[in-house]
């Protein structure tokens, strides 16, 4: 992470009228939905309500009554990677999906309607990193940010940023702001002058068994306490809490192996 995220309250500019390209939702597909609800409910204080079932059982996570994330049940015969997936806003999912294909990416799901909530597609960039596309209708996306238990930042971890940055710029209209450094490959993606996501090139440090992937950061009040709670709840700490210019950060995994990061922002 190289840019501070702008905090946002309920129903501010990050909720209504997400500008195209802005990460507007995060979703997780798992095999054991009930157990996963228990894990994240205990970790972040989330409660859950049913959501659209076009792709199978699905729930929306609520914090203080506001929608903050989604989780769904994978079919028993589908052995897909368990991972948090960011959804990027679009005014026209069908057109965005076509642009993804024409720029060397793939579209594996959709475009399809999610009842009255909106229209979605799930695709991958040319390096194979999976992301969603969301055209909101009744469901606009994440309704609360800037407080513990909410998504704070999304970052693509990939081999190198040069080629893939061009893909995201063309598809979503981002402005690229690279970090000028001889040994740090990082590009921040801006929409309307505001940082909304990052691309981090790590070269051969990328795990061979995972490949390029998007990482979601969740805000917490205390990174050390939250990391300890992850372990107590059956998850794993991959990178212990450490200080960064943006706060205290840890990388963890839930009991099914979905990676995510915890960030305790400076107050």
């Amino acid at each position: 992470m190289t840019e501070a995220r702008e905090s946002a309250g309920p129903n501010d500019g990050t909720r209504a009228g997400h500008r195209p390209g802005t990460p507007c939702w995060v979703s997780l597909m798992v095999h054991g939905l009930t157990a996963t609800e228990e894990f994240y409910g205990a970790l972040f204080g989330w409660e859950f309500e049913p959501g659209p079932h076009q792709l199978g059982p699905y729930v929306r996570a609520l914090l203080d009554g506001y929608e903050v994330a989604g989780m769904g049940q994978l079919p028993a015969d589908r052995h897909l990677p368990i991972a948090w997936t960011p959804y990027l806003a679009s005014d026209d999912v069908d057109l965005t999906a076509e642009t993804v294909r024409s720029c060397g990416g793939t579209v594996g799901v959709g475009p399809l309607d999610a009842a009255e909530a909106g229209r979605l597609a799930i695709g991958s960039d040319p390096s194979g990193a999976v992301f969603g596309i969301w055209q909101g209708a009744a469901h606009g996306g994440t309704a609360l940010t800037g407080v513990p238990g909410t998504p704070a930042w999304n970052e693509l971890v990939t081999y190198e940023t040069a080629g893939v940055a061009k893909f995201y710029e063309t598809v979503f209209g981002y402005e690229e702001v690279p970090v000028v450094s001889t040994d740090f490959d990082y590009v921040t993606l801006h929409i309307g002058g505001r940082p909304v996501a990052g691309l981090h090139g790590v070269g051969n440090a990328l795990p061979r068994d995972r490949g390029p992937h998007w990482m979601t950061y969740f805000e917490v009040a205390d990174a050390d306490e939250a990391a300890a709670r992850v372990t107590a709840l059956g998850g794993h700490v991959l990178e212990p809490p450490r200080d960064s210019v943006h706060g205290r950060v840890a990388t963890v995994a839930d009991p099914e192996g979905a990676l995510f990061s915890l960030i305790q922002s400076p107050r």
Side-chain angles (χ1 to χ4, degrees):
M1 302 175 67
T2 64
E3 293 280 351
R5 284 90 45 228
E6 294 185 4
S7 296
N11 299 318
D12 74 352
T14 62
R15 161 66 173 182
H18 288 285
R19 294 186 65 167
T22 305
C24 62
W25 188 243
V26 290
S27 191
L28 175 66
M29 300 297 290
V30 297
H31 294 293
L33 184 55
T34 299
T36 300
E37 289 181 39
E38 293 172 354
F39 172 84
Y40 286 99
L43 180 62
F44 292 138
W46 291 350
E47 298 178 334
F48 301 91
E49 67 177 14
H53 283 205
Q54 271 68 18
L55 300 177
Y58 191 84
V59 296
R60 291 177 181 148
L62 306 179
L63 186 66
D64 295 331
Y66 294 101
E67 300 165 347
V68 295
M71 298 191 304
Q73 175 90 42
L74 283 169
D77 59 347
R78 297 293 297 275
H79 300 288
L80 300 174
I82 307 298
W84 281 100
T85 301
Y87 280 73
L88 309 176
S90 171
D91 288 337
D92 186 334
V93 164
D94 295 78
L95 178 58
T96 303
E98 281 301 314
T99 308
V100 166
R101 294 188 185 99
S102 68
C103 292
T106 61
V107 177
V109 176
L112 57 84
D113 291 327
E116 74 287 349
R119 190 163 173 80
L120 68 87
I122 300 174
S124 58
D125 66 29
S127 74
V130 175
F131 61 92
I133 308 165
W134 181 252
Q135 180 181 345
H139 173 63
T142 303
L144 179 66
T145 60
V147 299
T150 62
W153 186 248
N154 289 281
E155 183 173 282
L156 174 66
V157 184
T158 189
Y159 293 109
E160 53 84 26
T161 64
V164 76
K166 187 65 177 177
F167 168 84
Y168 286 101
E169 177 189 0
T170 303
V171 174
F172 293 105
Y174 296 121
E175 307 147 21
E176 299 177 32
V177 180
V179 172
V180 180
S181 172
T182 58
D183 57 358
F184 188 56
D185 182 13
Y186 200 100
V187 173
T188 304
L189 302 177
H190 288 234
I191 293 288
R194 187 173 76 92
V196 297
L199 310 178
H200 188 189
V202 298
N204 293 330
L206 192 68
R208 290 180 178 271
D209 62 345
R210 185 164 297 275
H213 59 277
W214 280 90
M215 173 75 76
T216 297
Y217 288 73
F218 290 97
E219 188 74 44
V220 293
D222 185 320
D224 295 81
E225 188 276 334
R229 199 183 318 165
V230 165
T231 301
L233 293 169
H236 305 279
V237 175
L238 283 74
E239 296 182 19
R242 59 203 182 276
D243 291 325
S244 76
V245 295
H246 302 289
R248 197 153 172 81
V249 179
T251 303
V252 300
D254 69 19
E256 286 205 25
L259 295 181
F260 59 101
S261 289
L262 308 169
I263 179 156
Q264 175 188 341
S265 296
R267 299 299 181 187

